[in-house]
């Protein structure tokens, strides 16, 4: 898997745990949603905690865990399944400030939209990374410096910029 951050392929400092694996005593660990409650109760304070969510997760079910989570990873089982984008927006609106990661079959063409929905990083399979190199992801990030929606890519929107220019 390749991890894209700011249009570049970067090293992933997080470790994804299988449900049967012992919880670590240090480092950064990603657990499944089924294991989240157990991890919250038993993980030492020095361990950074992340959770992997299906794109069908109800955001309200995470409310109590949000302050303890440093990473939320949302699964994208297919590039045409956009439910993860909606889930990301809802999680950001709920106040999550940590790293939000899209994981799965996303394409570089979807990168600007992912950033606009609040994602910080995108994890893609090696076959997609082989077809769409770092240069394509960088270009996709740079292609849309502003959007019509107020989001997370840049402060303001195209409409805000037009209103500001008209007021001068």
């Amino acid at each position: 898997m390749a991890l894209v951050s700011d249009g570049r392929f970067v090293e992933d400092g997080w470790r994804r745990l299988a449900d049967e694996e012992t919880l670590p005593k240090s480092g950064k660990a990603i657990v499944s949603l089924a294991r989240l409650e157990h991890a919250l109760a038993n993980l030492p304070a020095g361990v950074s905690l992340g959770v992997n969510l299906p794109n069908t997760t109800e955001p309200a079910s995470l409310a109590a865990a949000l302050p303890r989570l440093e990473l939320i990873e949302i699964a994208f089982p297919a590039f045409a399944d956009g439910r993860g984008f909606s889930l990301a927006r809802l999680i950001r609106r709920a106040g999550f400030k940590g790293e939000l990661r899209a994981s799965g079959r996303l394409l570089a063409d979807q990168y600007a939209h992912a950033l606009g929905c609040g994602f910080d990083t995108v994890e893609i399979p090696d076959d997609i990374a082989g077809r769409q190199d770092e240069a394509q992801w960088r270009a996709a990030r740079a292609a849309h410096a502003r959007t019509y929606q107020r989001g997370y890519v840049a402060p303001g929107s195209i409409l805000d910029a037009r209103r500001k220019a008209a007021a001068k």
Side-chain angles (χ1 to χ4, degrees), residues 76 79 85 102-108 110 114 122 124-125 128 132 137:
F76 281 78
F79 77 91
F85 295 121
S103 179
R105 305 211 55 86
L106 287 168
L107 305 175
Q110 296 169 302
V122 175
I124 56 173
I128 292 175
Q132 296 186 325
W137 289 88

Side-chain angles (χ1 to χ4, degrees), residues 14-162:
W14 288 85
R15 182 172 153 229
R16 191 172 286 109
L17 298 179
D19 285 342
E20 64 277 357
E21 271 187 270
T22 305
L23 294 172
K25 301 210 184 307
S26 63
K28 298 177 175 184
I30 301 171
V31 298
S32 67
L33 181 59
R35 193 170 183 199
L36 179 60
E37 190 174 320
H38 176 261
L40 287 168
N42 297 299
L43 210 56
V47 178
S48 298
L49 181 61
V51 64
N52 178 284
L53 302 177
N55 62 5
T56 56
T57 303
E58 187 60 45
S61 67
L62 293 174
L66 287 181
R68 177 72 168 89
L69 293 172
E70 293 184 36
L71 176 133
I72 295 176
E73 180 180 76
I74 299 173
F76 281 78
F79 77 91
D81 187 344
R83 291 176 288 183
F85 295 121
S86 300
L87 180 56
R89 294 286 298 208
L90 293 170
I91 288 171
R92 285 293 188 206
R93 285 184 190 153
F96 181 67
K97 303 286 186 220
E99 180 182 343
L100 195 54
R101 178 182 294 184
S103 179
R105 305 211 55 86
L106 287 168
L107 305 175
D109 292 347
Q110 296 169 302
Y111 190 39
H113 186 62
L115 294 171
C117 290
F119 285 106
D120 301 296
T121 55
V122 175
E123 184 182 52
I124 56 173
D126 292 333
D127 66 317
I128 292 175
R131 288 191 317 268
Q132 296 186 325
D133 64 5
E134 189 174 302
Q136 284 183 278
W137 289 88
R138 253 193 329 271
R141 177 166 174 68
H144 302 287
R146 293 223 181 253
T147 61
Y148 281 101
Q149 300 85 10
R150 286 183 182 98
Y152 302 93
V153 177
S157 67
I158 291 171
L159 298 175
D160 291 336
R162 287 182 183 164

